[in-house]
């Protein structure tokens, strides 16, 4: 039987640039938690129920580890459950991956930016060559691929556009009638206006072991106080909830280890300097206490009950997310209603999609790369099935 010829086009001079950027944090490839929880990490408007169970079964977290191991890169699971290459680097894995693909006769065409897709009556892909360079616009820069048997698009989201995934593809799909909810920043910091004198005391400090909520969703972990607002696992996890709110507010439990009756008991003998006393009696970190004091003084709180209420439900109004260019990932993308279960485009069975360009999002923790690989495996298998059905393979 004849093999499949694969041509890989990318706008950048080399592939996998965002993968390399992910390597700066050690390359969190996947997560070791049980599948019942794992699959709940993925969300997206109108996402078909249980699709992730299917895809994560097809390409499981263990399979990512096996794949890396097959390329000579061993992985380990940290105590957090996150899985990394032992070397905590992306470059060796990417290099071996590309070498393997070259060995399998995959042809790489770098500096080819896809700029138009025609699919009726014939599929034609239009590329602009050297688009990554400052090239003059002339006919020599244009390049077509006529009637490919199948196409898998994995053009990424819109975060870190310097890596090549700038989200400009959304306009290519407009004229195909594809619904593309806007790409917005996910897994990113949020901005707020700190008073200058407060910021002097707390900038760069973490709020550790806290719990927070937004629009009925909860997250635990760490928040980092930055000049412009907040960063850290909690705010990333609550991003989707915050985006739903007209006036986004995060409510932080600055003392999750104690409930209000216990906090009140610890303040029973306090007659004066209530706010100052709360620091030691409630064992608050310097930064948690600075936040509490700021709001308590502003609100003129003078009794333990109100102060305890504030420490357990500390609200911060947020201005909005940080720019998408800084985000770890993006939400939005090809709408689920335009995709079939095999990840092909409704009405265009030879065009398949994978990765972050589809309208799903997931928290940090390895779920993003795992999601990209799992949808990539499904799109590739579906494309092979399609070729088989057409007698092309
Ligand atoms: C700082 C940072 C750290 C991260 N760390 C982690 C982590 O530790 N673990 C994790 O799971 N995830 C992490 N991620 C997220 C993860 O890297 C992405 O979710 C993943 O790379 C997305 O893969 P993708 O294939 O969908 O798109 P991308 O990796 O973005 O690839 C898209 C490709 O398409 C090309 N392209 C775009 N438009 C065109 C066009 N018109 N024509 C031709 N080519 C085009 C781009 O050049 C690019 O090569 C991190 C992301 C960032 C920014």
């Amino acid at each position: 039987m004849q093999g499949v010829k694969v041509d890989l086009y990318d706008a950048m001079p080399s592939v996998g640039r965002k993968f390399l950027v992910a390597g700066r944090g050690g390359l969190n490839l996947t997560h070791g938690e049980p599948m019942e929880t794992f699959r709940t990490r993925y969300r997206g408007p109108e996402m078909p129920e249980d699709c992730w169970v299917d895809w994560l079964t097809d390409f499981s977290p263990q399979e990512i580890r096996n794949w890396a191991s097959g390329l000579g890169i061993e992985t380990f699971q940290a105590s957090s459950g996150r899985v990394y290459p032992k070397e905590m680097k992306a470059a060796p894995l990417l290099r071996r991956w590309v070498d393997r693909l070259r060995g399998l006769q995959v042809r790489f065409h770098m500096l080819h930016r896809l700029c138009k897709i025609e699919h009726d009556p014939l599929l034609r892909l239009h590329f602009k060559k050297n688009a990554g360079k400052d090239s003059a616009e002339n006919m020599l820069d244009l390049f077509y691929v006529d009637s490919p048997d199948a196409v898998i698009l994995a053009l990424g989201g819109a975060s870190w556009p310097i890596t090549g995934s700038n989200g400009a593809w959304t306009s290519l799909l407009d004229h195909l009638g594809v619904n593309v909810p806007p790409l917005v920043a996910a897994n990113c910091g949020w901005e707020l206006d700190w008073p200058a004198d407060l910021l002097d005391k707390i900038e760069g400090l973490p709020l550790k072991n806290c719990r927070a909520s937004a629009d009925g969703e909860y997250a635990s972990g760490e928040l980092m106080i930055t000049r412009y607002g907040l960063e850290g696992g909690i705010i990333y996890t609550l991003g989707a909830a915050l985006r739903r709110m007209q006036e986004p507010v995060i409510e932080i439990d600055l003392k999750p280890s104690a409930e209000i009756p216990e906090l009140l008991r610890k303040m029973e003998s306090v007659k004066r300097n209530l706010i100052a006393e709360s620091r030691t009696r409630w064992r608050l970190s310097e930064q948690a206490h600075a936040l509490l004091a700021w709001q308590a003084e502003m609100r003129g709180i003078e009794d333990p009950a109100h102060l305890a209420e504030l420490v357990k439900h500390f609200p911060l109004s947020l201005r909005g997310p940080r720019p998408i260019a800084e985000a770890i990932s993006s939400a939005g993308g090809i709408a689920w209603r335009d995709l079939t279960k095999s990840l092909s485009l409704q009405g265009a069975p030879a065009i398949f999609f994978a990765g972050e360009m589809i309208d799903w999002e997931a928290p940090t923790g390895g779920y993003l790369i795992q999601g990209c690989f799992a949808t990539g495996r499904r799109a590739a298998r579906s494309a092979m099935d399609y070729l088989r059905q057409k007698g092309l393979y």
Side-chain angles (χ1 to χ4, degrees), residues 243-266:
R243 289 200 309 271
R244 283 198 302 269
M245 300 170 87
Q246 284 236 312
E247 291 177 1
V249 177
I250 183 171
E251 199 176 271
I252 308 169
D253 183 347
L254 293 169
K255 189 67 193 170
S257 60
E259 291 311 316
I260 289 186
E262 187 187 340
L263 295 174
L264 292 180
R265 252 193 329 276
K266 291 189 169 163

PDB file of all heavy atoms in Angstrom, residues 243-266:
ATOM      1  N   ARG A 243     -14.057  36.467  33.185  1.00  0.00           N
ATOM      2  CA  ARG A 243     -14.443  37.005  31.863  1.00  0.00           C
ATOM      3  C   ARG A 243     -15.961  37.075  31.715  1.00  0.00           C
ATOM      4  O   ARG A 243     -16.463  37.888  30.959  1.00  0.00           O
ATOM      5  CB  ARG A 243     -13.848  36.144  30.738  1.00  0.00           C
ATOM      6  CG  ARG A 243     -12.356  36.269  30.576  1.00  0.00           C
ATOM      7  CD  ARG A 243     -11.931  35.797  29.180  1.00  0.00           C
ATOM      8  NE  ARG A 243     -12.443  34.496  28.833  1.00  0.00           N
ATOM      9  CZ  ARG A 243     -11.846  33.335  29.090  1.00  0.00           C
ATOM     10  NH1 ARG A 243     -10.688  33.318  29.701  1.00  0.00           N
ATOM     11  NH2 ARG A 243     -12.398  32.199  28.719  1.00  0.00           N
ATOM     12  N   ARG A 244     -16.677  36.199  32.437  1.00  0.00           N
ATOM     13  CA  ARG A 244     -18.144  36.215  32.352  1.00  0.00           C
ATOM     14  C   ARG A 244     -18.750  37.405  33.086  1.00  0.00           C
ATOM     15  O   ARG A 244     -19.883  37.771  32.847  1.00  0.00           O
ATOM     16  CB  ARG A 244     -18.714  34.951  33.030  1.00  0.00           C
ATOM     17  CG  ARG A 244     -18.614  33.684  32.233  1.00  0.00           C
ATOM     18  CD  ARG A 244     -19.571  32.649  32.792  1.00  0.00           C
ATOM     19  NE  ARG A 244     -19.361  32.309  34.191  1.00  0.00           N
ATOM     20  CZ  ARG A 244     -18.565  31.319  34.615  1.00  0.00           C
ATOM     21  NH1 ARG A 244     -17.895  30.597  33.750  1.00  0.00           N
ATOM     22  NH2 ARG A 244     -18.440  31.060  35.898  1.00  0.00           N
ATOM     23  N   MET A 245     -17.999  37.974  34.032  1.00  0.00           N
ATOM     24  CA  MET A 245     -18.572  39.009  34.902  1.00  0.00           C
ATOM     25  C   MET A 245     -18.459  40.378  34.231  1.00  0.00           C
ATOM     26  O   MET A 245     -17.394  40.723  33.715  1.00  0.00           O
ATOM     27  CB  MET A 245     -17.829  39.036  36.253  1.00  0.00           C
ATOM     28  CG  MET A 245     -17.912  37.731  37.008  1.00  0.00           C
ATOM     29  SD  MET A 245     -16.790  37.689  38.433  1.00  0.00           S
ATOM     30  CE  MET A 245     -17.802  38.417  39.694  1.00  0.00           C
ATOM     31  N   GLN A 246     -19.556  41.133  34.277  1.00  0.00           N
ATOM     32  CA  GLN A 246     -19.520  42.493  33.698  1.00  0.00           C
ATOM     33  C   GLN A 246     -18.520  43.353  34.442  1.00  0.00           C
ATOM     34  O   GLN A 246     -17.771  44.116  33.858  1.00  0.00           O
ATOM     35  CB  GLN A 246     -20.908  43.107  33.815  1.00  0.00           C
ATOM     36  CG  GLN A 246     -21.871  42.558  32.804  1.00  0.00           C
ATOM     37  CD  GLN A 246     -22.474  43.664  31.988  1.00  0.00           C
ATOM     38  OE1 GLN A 246     -22.923  44.651  32.544  1.00  0.00           O
ATOM     39  NE2 GLN A 246     -22.475  43.500  30.682  1.00  0.00           N
ATOM     40  N   GLU A 247     -18.573  43.235  35.781  1.00  0.00           N
ATOM     41  CA  GLU A 247     -17.606  43.969  36.610  1.00  0.00           C
ATOM     42  C   GLU A 247     -16.839  42.926  37.414  1.00  0.00           C
ATOM     43  O   GLU A 247     -17.264  42.523  38.501  1.00  0.00           O
ATOM     44  CB  GLU A 247     -18.335  44.942  37.529  1.00  0.00           C
ATOM     45  CG  GLU A 247     -18.941  46.063  36.708  1.00  0.00           C
ATOM     46  CD  GLU A 247     -19.738  47.044  37.544  1.00  0.00           C
ATOM     47  OE1 GLU A 247     -19.821  46.873  38.774  1.00  0.00           O
ATOM     48  OE2 GLU A 247     -20.293  47.961  36.939  1.00  0.00           O
ATOM     49  N   PRO A 248     -15.718  42.447  36.865  1.00  0.00           N
ATOM     50  CA  PRO A 248     -15.033  41.307  37.503  1.00  0.00           C
ATOM     51  C   PRO A 248     -14.529  41.621  38.905  1.00  0.00           C
ATOM     52  O   PRO A 248     -13.861  42.633  39.118  1.00  0.00           O
ATOM     53  CB  PRO A 248     -13.867  41.002  36.552  1.00  0.00           C
ATOM     54  CG  PRO A 248     -13.787  42.131  35.596  1.00  0.00           C
ATOM     55  CD  PRO A 248     -15.039  42.923  35.660  1.00  0.00           C
ATOM     56  N   VAL A 249     -14.887  40.727  39.817  1.00  0.00           N
ATOM     57  CA  VAL A 249     -14.430  40.852  41.213  1.00  0.00           C
ATOM     58  C   VAL A 249     -13.958  39.486  41.663  1.00  0.00           C
ATOM     59  O   VAL A 249     -14.628  38.481  41.439  1.00  0.00           O
ATOM     60  CB  VAL A 249     -15.582  41.294  42.146  1.00  0.00           C
ATOM     61  CG1 VAL A 249     -15.106  41.343  43.599  1.00  0.00           C
ATOM     62  CG2 VAL A 249     -16.137  42.650  41.745  1.00  0.00           C
ATOM     63  N   ILE A 250     -12.788  39.450  42.279  1.00  0.00           N
ATOM     64  CA  ILE A 250     -12.314  38.200  42.876  1.00  0.00           C
ATOM     65  C   ILE A 250     -12.480  38.343  44.391  1.00  0.00           C
ATOM     66  O   ILE A 250     -12.189  39.404  44.950  1.00  0.00           O
ATOM     67  CB  ILE A 250     -10.850  37.902  42.469  1.00  0.00           C
ATOM     68  CG1 ILE A 250     -10.402  36.566  43.047  1.00  0.00           C
ATOM     69  CG2 ILE A 250      -9.891  38.981  42.882  1.00  0.00           C
ATOM     70  CD1 ILE A 250      -9.048  36.106  42.522  1.00  0.00           C
ATOM     71  N   GLU A 251     -12.988  37.289  45.021  1.00  0.00           N
ATOM     72  CA  GLU A 251     -13.165  37.339  46.470  1.00  0.00           C
ATOM     73  C   GLU A 251     -12.174  36.356  47.082  1.00  0.00           C
ATOM     74  O   GLU A 251     -12.207  35.162  46.767  1.00  0.00           O
ATOM     75  CB  GLU A 251     -14.600  36.937  46.805  1.00  0.00           C
ATOM     76  CG  GLU A 251     -15.002  37.383  48.186  1.00  0.00           C
ATOM     77  CD  GLU A 251     -16.456  37.056  48.455  1.00  0.00           C
ATOM     78  OE1 GLU A 251     -17.310  37.894  48.149  1.00  0.00           O
ATOM     79  OE2 GLU A 251     -16.721  35.953  48.965  1.00  0.00           O
ATOM     80  N   ILE A 252     -11.302  36.884  47.920  1.00  0.00           N
ATOM     81  CA  ILE A 252     -10.209  36.041  48.444  1.00  0.00           C
ATOM     82  C   ILE A 252     -10.461  35.708  49.908  1.00  0.00           C
ATOM     83  O   ILE A 252     -10.812  36.589  50.694  1.00  0.00           O
ATOM     84  CB  ILE A 252      -8.849  36.778  48.324  1.00  0.00           C
ATOM     85  CG1 ILE A 252      -8.644  37.285  46.889  1.00  0.00           C
ATOM     86  CG2 ILE A 252      -7.696  35.875  48.734  1.00  0.00           C
ATOM     87  CD1 ILE A 252      -7.473  38.231  46.750  1.00  0.00           C
ATOM     88  N   ASP A 253     -10.256  34.445  50.237  1.00  0.00           N
ATOM     89  CA  ASP A 253     -10.264  34.037  51.647  1.00  0.00           C
ATOM     90  C   ASP A 253      -8.814  34.110  52.105  1.00  0.00           C
ATOM     91  O   ASP A 253      -7.992  33.261  51.757  1.00  0.00           O
ATOM     92  CB  ASP A 253     -10.818  32.605  51.759  1.00  0.00           C
ATOM     93  CG  ASP A 253     -10.913  32.144  53.206  1.00  0.00           C
ATOM     94  OD1 ASP A 253     -10.324  32.821  54.073  1.00  0.00           O
ATOM     95  OD2 ASP A 253     -11.571  31.125  53.449  1.00  0.00           O
ATOM     96  N   LEU A 254      -8.519  35.168  52.880  1.00  0.00           N
ATOM     97  CA  LEU A 254      -7.123  35.385  53.286  1.00  0.00           C
ATOM     98  C   LEU A 254      -6.719  34.486  54.451  1.00  0.00           C
ATOM     99  O   LEU A 254      -5.557  34.444  54.831  1.00  0.00           O
ATOM    100  CB  LEU A 254      -6.914  36.857  53.688  1.00  0.00           C
ATOM    101  CG  LEU A 254      -7.028  37.883  52.542  1.00  0.00           C
ATOM    102  CD1 LEU A 254      -7.071  39.303  53.108  1.00  0.00           C
ATOM    103  CD2 LEU A 254      -5.875  37.751  51.563  1.00  0.00           C
ATOM    104  N   LYS A 255      -7.697  33.776  55.026  1.00  0.00           N
ATOM    105  CA  LYS A 255      -7.395  32.886  56.158  1.00  0.00           C
ATOM    106  C   LYS A 255      -8.217  31.602  56.036  1.00  0.00           C
ATOM    107  O   LYS A 255      -9.117  31.314  56.848  1.00  0.00           O
ATOM    108  CB  LYS A 255      -7.735  33.640  57.464  1.00  0.00           C
ATOM    109  CG  LYS A 255      -7.293  32.942  58.721  1.00  0.00           C
ATOM    110  CD  LYS A 255      -5.793  32.866  58.857  1.00  0.00           C
ATOM    111  CE  LYS A 255      -5.395  31.900  59.945  1.00  0.00           C
ATOM    112  NZ  LYS A 255      -3.967  31.607  59.955  1.00  0.00           N
ATOM    113  N   PRO A 256      -7.927  30.794  54.984  1.00  0.00           N
ATOM    114  CA  PRO A 256      -8.782  29.623  54.746  1.00  0.00           C
ATOM    115  C   PRO A 256      -8.703  28.568  55.837  1.00  0.00           C
ATOM    116  O   PRO A 256      -9.598  27.733  55.959  1.00  0.00           O
ATOM    117  CB  PRO A 256      -8.269  29.069  53.407  1.00  0.00           C
ATOM    118  CG  PRO A 256      -6.959  29.695  53.177  1.00  0.00           C
ATOM    119  CD  PRO A 256      -6.870  30.934  53.997  1.00  0.00           C
ATOM    120  N   SER A 257      -7.642  28.596  56.657  1.00  0.00           N
ATOM    121  CA  SER A 257      -7.505  27.531  57.664  1.00  0.00           C
ATOM    122  C   SER A 257      -8.379  27.762  58.893  1.00  0.00           C
ATOM    123  O   SER A 257      -8.419  26.913  59.790  1.00  0.00           O
ATOM    124  CB  SER A 257      -6.040  27.405  58.090  1.00  0.00           C
ATOM    125  OG  SER A 257      -5.621  28.633  58.632  1.00  0.00           O
ATOM    126  N   ALA A 258      -9.065  28.892  58.982  1.00  0.00           N
ATOM    127  CA  ALA A 258      -9.913  29.138  60.165  1.00  0.00           C
ATOM    128  C   ALA A 258     -11.274  29.674  59.740  1.00  0.00           C
ATOM    129  O   ALA A 258     -11.364  30.454  58.793  1.00  0.00           O
ATOM    130  CB  ALA A 258      -9.231  30.144  61.089  1.00  0.00           C
ATOM    131  N   GLU A 259     -12.301  29.229  60.458  1.00  0.00           N
ATOM    132  CA  GLU A 259     -13.648  29.741  60.169  1.00  0.00           C
ATOM    133  C   GLU A 259     -13.945  30.930  61.089  1.00  0.00           C
ATOM    134  O   GLU A 259     -13.226  31.167  62.067  1.00  0.00           O
ATOM    135  CB  GLU A 259     -14.689  28.629  60.355  1.00  0.00           C
ATOM    136  CG  GLU A 259     -14.595  27.524  59.316  1.00  0.00           C
ATOM    137  CD  GLU A 259     -14.528  28.047  57.879  1.00  0.00           C
ATOM    138  OE1 GLU A 259     -15.301  28.968  57.538  1.00  0.00           O
ATOM    139  OE2 GLU A 259     -13.688  27.548  57.102  1.00  0.00           O
ATOM    140  N   ILE A 260     -15.024  31.649  60.802  1.00  0.00           N
ATOM    141  CA  ILE A 260     -15.309  32.896  61.517  1.00  0.00           C
ATOM    142  C   ILE A 260     -15.421  32.705  63.049  1.00  0.00           C
ATOM    143  O   ILE A 260     -14.809  33.475  63.801  1.00  0.00           O
ATOM    144  CB  ILE A 260     -16.547  33.595  60.908  1.00  0.00           C
ATOM    145  CG1 ILE A 260     -16.139  34.140  59.538  1.00  0.00           C
ATOM    146  CG2 ILE A 260     -17.080  34.700  61.827  1.00  0.00           C
ATOM    147  CD1 ILE A 260     -17.148  34.979  58.818  1.00  0.00           C
ATOM    148  N   PRO A 261     -16.129  31.664  63.550  1.00  0.00           N
ATOM    149  CA  PRO A 261     -16.212  31.537  65.027  1.00  0.00           C
ATOM    150  C   PRO A 261     -14.829  31.435  65.676  1.00  0.00           C
ATOM    151  O   PRO A 261     -14.585  32.046  66.719  1.00  0.00           O
ATOM    152  CB  PRO A 261     -17.008  30.241  65.215  1.00  0.00           C
ATOM    153  CG  PRO A 261     -17.794  30.085  63.949  1.00  0.00           C
ATOM    154  CD  PRO A 261     -16.960  30.663  62.871  1.00  0.00           C
ATOM    155  N   GLU A 262     -13.931  30.693  65.033  1.00  0.00           N
ATOM    156  CA  GLU A 262     -12.571  30.565  65.587  1.00  0.00           C
ATOM    157  C   GLU A 262     -11.847  31.922  65.563  1.00  0.00           C
ATOM    158  O   GLU A 262     -11.167  32.304  66.521  1.00  0.00           O
ATOM    159  CB  GLU A 262     -11.797  29.524  64.767  1.00  0.00           C
ATOM    160  CG  GLU A 262     -10.451  29.200  65.361  1.00  0.00           C
ATOM    161  CD  GLU A 262      -9.621  28.295  64.454  1.00  0.00           C
ATOM    162  OE1 GLU A 262     -10.198  27.623  63.574  1.00  0.00           O
ATOM    163  OE2 GLU A 262      -8.390  28.289  64.646  1.00  0.00           O
ATOM    164  N   LEU A 263     -12.009  32.652  64.460  1.00  0.00           N
ATOM    165  CA  LEU A 263     -11.355  33.964  64.354  1.00  0.00           C
ATOM    166  C   LEU A 263     -11.888  34.899  65.445  1.00  0.00           C
ATOM    167  O   LEU A 263     -11.119  35.643  66.070  1.00  0.00           O
ATOM    168  CB  LEU A 263     -11.602  34.578  62.969  1.00  0.00           C
ATOM    169  CG  LEU A 263     -10.978  33.837  61.783  1.00  0.00           C
ATOM    170  CD1 LEU A 263     -11.413  34.454  60.464  1.00  0.00           C
ATOM    171  CD2 LEU A 263      -9.454  33.832  61.884  1.00  0.00           C
ATOM    172  N   LEU A 264     -13.187  34.822  65.701  1.00  0.00           N
ATOM    173  CA  LEU A 264     -13.781  35.701  66.717  1.00  0.00           C
ATOM    174  C   LEU A 264     -13.277  35.328  68.120  1.00  0.00           C
ATOM    175  O   LEU A 264     -12.988  36.189  68.944  1.00  0.00           O
ATOM    176  CB  LEU A 264     -15.310  35.627  66.664  1.00  0.00           C
ATOM    177  CG  LEU A 264     -15.926  36.234  65.392  1.00  0.00           C
ATOM    178  CD1 LEU A 264     -17.435  36.132  65.419  1.00  0.00           C
ATOM    179  CD2 LEU A 264     -15.511  37.703  65.242  1.00  0.00           C
ATOM    180  N   ARG A 265     -13.157  34.025  68.355  1.00  0.00           N
ATOM    181  CA  ARG A 265     -12.636  33.573  69.666  1.00  0.00           C
ATOM    182  C   ARG A 265     -11.249  34.141  69.923  1.00  0.00           C
ATOM    183  O   ARG A 265     -10.942  34.601  71.015  1.00  0.00           O
ATOM    184  CB  ARG A 265     -12.576  32.042  69.687  1.00  0.00           C
ATOM    185  CG  ARG A 265     -13.636  31.434  70.589  1.00  0.00           C
ATOM    186  CD  ARG A 265     -13.446  29.968  70.891  1.00  0.00           C
ATOM    187  NE  ARG A 265     -12.819  29.156  69.891  1.00  0.00           N
ATOM    188  CZ  ARG A 265     -13.460  28.611  68.853  1.00  0.00           C
ATOM    189  NH1 ARG A 265     -14.755  28.840  68.681  1.00  0.00           N
ATOM    190  NH2 ARG A 265     -12.822  27.864  67.982  1.00  0.00           N
ATOM    191  N   LYS A 266     -10.452  34.171  68.880  1.00  0.00           N
ATOM    192  CA  LYS A 266      -9.064  34.643  69.041  1.00  0.00           C
ATOM    193  C   LYS A 266      -9.004  36.149  69.281  1.00  0.00           C
ATOM    194  O   LYS A 266      -7.969  36.665  69.681  1.00  0.00           O
ATOM    195  CB  LYS A 266      -8.253  34.287  67.800  1.00  0.00           C
ATOM    196  CG  LYS A 266      -8.031  32.803  67.694  1.00  0.00           C
ATOM    197  CD  LYS A 266      -7.058  32.445  66.620  1.00  0.00           C
ATOM    198  CE  LYS A 266      -6.702  30.970  66.795  1.00  0.00           C
ATOM    199  NZ  LYS A 266      -6.110  30.372  65.664  1.00  0.00           N
TER     200      LYS A 266
END
